[in-house]
Amino acid sequence: MDEPVLAIVVPCYNEEEVLTETMKQLTGLLADMVREKQVSEKSRILFVDDGSRDDTWKMIYKESIKGEFIRGIKLARNVGHQNALLAGLFAAKKTSDCIVSIDADLQDDIDVIQKFIQKFKEGYEVVYGVRDRRDTDTFFKRTTAEGFYKLMKKMGVNLVYNHADYRLMSRRAVEELERFGEANMFLRGIVPLIGFQSTSIYYDRKERAAGETKYPLKKMLAFALDGITSFSVTPIRMVLLVGCLSFLVSLLFGSYFLSLKFFGHTESGWTSMITSIWLIGGLQLIAIGLVGEYIGKIYKETKGRPKYIIDIDTFNLAVPQPLLGEEGAFEHDGIQERDAFSYAAGKLSETK
Ligand code: UDP
Ligand code: MG
């Protein structure tokens, strides 16, 4: 069997601080793997710039036109980690046998990729990278993340515990993934649904090599809520249950107060009234909000908008027209980007 063509997909959002190091380490690793004939020399590292506002794309672009291992895709705007990842996976699958996705911040041990490839050669179509320890994450991050996995499990969502988006997928698995047409792609939940032969590799998670987390609390909460509501209707059922319970309770109270009215004496009852108003009002708002969350999901799905839009692609050499407005253009070694791109396209197709 020929060595498999590997693509390493790296979503990047404002990662200029860590990118040089990431490029260096990944290129080094891939070069080693090619030399040791673990993977084909056609293997590539594909950086997806998720609408960064810093120099991330410039850095990717400059590396990618050298025609070595690095390639880049620039998304037209920020669409979030999951969608950026999808853009990379779908672009890479055309020319690769297997695809590894990894974060740009070097928190995940890159040497594990060699083990991924071994497993792939043994016939596994999906290999999950699972964090052994999370001591390097902050206490807050660790507890919230672990709570999240446990909650998801309770809600009946099948997640691989402590696995984030560091995994290998075969081309076949990515092709199947593409058939999941939902707007809200929560990859950790969807990949296990594909159901091909899979296995896990354990590794220690490190600290971010540089830069800050791109998942502040607000994004983390949104991510968790999305994950839950796109996979499980348990929350709606819980609301129904709470509704039934409070209905029963109110029946009991009602009959108690009625009996007081007829057989005893009634209090002016301000306290009980005001508390129950607040209680019921709160419950109703929660319920409506929750239902709204699901309706919002349906609304998004029915629109069927594209999940991402590619602006520039140095991986498959699609040259979009027009390439860039004057504002976004930049110079590379004295060549305007537009020229640099056609120059790169020529150079890259030579090396293909
Ligand atoms: N990321 C992205 N788009 C976003 C936010 C994050 O592509 O809108 C990327 C980011 O560059 C990184 C990965 O997603 O490669 C994971 O982000 P981060 O390391 O900040 O998350 P954490 O490890 O703190 O959960
Ligand atoms: Mg990280």
Side-chain angles (χ1 to χ4, degrees):
M1 188 178 111
D2 280 347
E3 289 86 42
V5 179
L6 165 71
I8 304 176
V9 171
V10 194
C12 308
Y13 177 56
N14 295 344
E15 297 285 11
E16 61 178 12
E17 284 166 72
V18 75
L19 210 55
T20 314
E21 186 59 27
T22 310
M23 286 177 166
K24 199 176 107 199
Q25 291 200 16
L26 285 177
T27 313
L29 175 80
L30 196 56
D32 285 349
M33 289 172 74
V34 169
R35 200 173 326 113
E36 288 162 20
K37 298 216 176 311
Q38 295 177 24
V39 294
S40 152
E41 82 242 357
K42 291 191 193 131
S43 299
R44 295 284 177 263
I45 308 164
L46 173 58
F47 288 89
V48 182
D49 172 37
D50 184 16
S52 300
R53 275 185 287 258
D54 61 3
D55 279 344
T56 301
W57 172 246
K58 264 192 202 180
M59 296 167 72
I60 298 172
Y61 187 76
K62 283 185 180 173
E63 282 303 315
S64 75
I65 60 174
K66 288 185 184 162
E68 289 159 10
F69 288 129
I70 291 177
R71 294 288 185 278
I73 282 184
K74 180 182 193 294
L75 298 184
R77 65 181 183 87
N78 179 256
V79 289
H81 179 200
Q82 301 286 296
N83 288 330
L85 204 58
L86 285 177
L89 291 178
F90 295 154
K93 78 164 201 306
K94 299 174 197 156
T95 49
S96 322
D97 299 313
C98 54
I99 304 164
V100 168
S101 49
I102 186 169
D103 288 354
D105 56 9
L106 296 174
Q107 274 191 293
D108 307 300
D109 182 359
I110 62 169
D111 294 325
V112 176
I113 295 179
Q114 307 193 26
K115 295 188 190 157
F116 282 179
I117 292 292
Q118 255 168 26
K119 289 288 172 198
F120 173 69
K121 288 181 177 167
E122 286 169 24
Y124 291 99
E125 306 250 0
V126 180
V127 188
Y128 300 103
V130 178
R131 299 161 192 171
D132 233 352
R133 296 174 5 222
R134 306 184 63 130
D135 326 4
T136 49
D137 276 339
T138 59
F139 173 75
F140 177 72
K141 178 104 194 175
R142 202 166 61 226
T143 34
T144 47
E146 279 172 5
F148 173 64
Y149 284 106
K150 287 188 181 139
L151 183 68
M152 290 294 275
K153 185 139 205 182
K154 284 229 166 67
M155 303 250 176
V157 187
N158 183 17
L159 285 190
V160 179
Y161 189 67
N162 260 345
H163 156 70
D165 285 305
Y166 186 25
R167 71 176 82 81
L168 175 143
M169 294 177 78
S170 66
R171 181 194 312 169
R172 203 157 75 100
V174 177
E175 272 164 4
E176 294 304 331
L177 180 71
E178 206 166 15
R179 299 197 349 197
F180 284 73
E182 46 209 282
N184 206 298
M185 285 284 242
F186 182 64
L187 281 170
R188 288 168 216 190
I190 289 178
V191 175
L193 288 184
I194 300 176
F196 288 149
Q197 270 275 64
S198 67
T199 183
S200 301
I201 301 274
Y202 293 84
Y203 67 95
D204 288 344
R205 187 157 158 98
K206 293 181 248 172
E207 265 172 68
R208 218 173 205 288
E212 279 172 5
T213 175
K214 306 296 177 295
Y215 268 103
L217 183 63
K218 200 173 131 208
K219 265 198 185 172
M220 245 161 68
L221 286 178
F223 185 63
L225 194 64
D226 268 352
I228 292 168
T229 50
S230 43
F231 268 88
S232 152
V233 288
T234 314
I236 282 196
R237 277 197 205 128
M238 266 162 28
V239 166
L240 192 68
L241 198 75
V242 172
C244 292
L245 278 179
S246 67
F247 177 67
L248 279 180
V249 170
S250 68
L251 276 188
L252 287 178
F253 269 113
S255 35
Y256 174 65
F257 287 131
L258 266 183
S259 68
L260 274 188
K261 187 174 169 63
F262 288 120
F263 305 112
H265 70 284
T266 41
E267 297 291 338
S268 50
W270 188 82
T271 324
S272 61
M273 204 172 78
I274 207 75
T275 22
S276 58
I277 286 176
W278 279 94
L279 184 77
I280 297 296
L283 284 179
Q284 276 175 341
L285 283 183
I286 291 175
I288 293 171
L290 207 75
V291 173
E293 187 68 31
Y294 284 95
I295 294 180
K297 287 260 143 72
I298 300 172
Y299 178 58
K300 265 195 184 164
E301 297 288 348
T302 50
K303 278 188 298 195
R305 288 194 179 153
K307 294 190 249 307
Y308 54 84
I309 288 168
I310 293 178
D311 187 0
I312 304 173
D313 176 356
T314 68
F315 188 82
N316 292 303
L317 297 177
V319 185
Q321 295 290 335
L323 186 60
L324 264 186
E326 285 308 306
E327 216 176 288
F330 65 87
E331 280 201 353
H332 169 64
D333 294 345
I335 316 170
Q336 278 291 321
E337 181 168 33
R338 193 182 299 266
D339 305 331
F341 194 86
S342 14
Y343 156 79
K347 196 165 159 190
L348 290 179
S349 50
E350 274 168 32
T351 58
K352 263 211 161 170

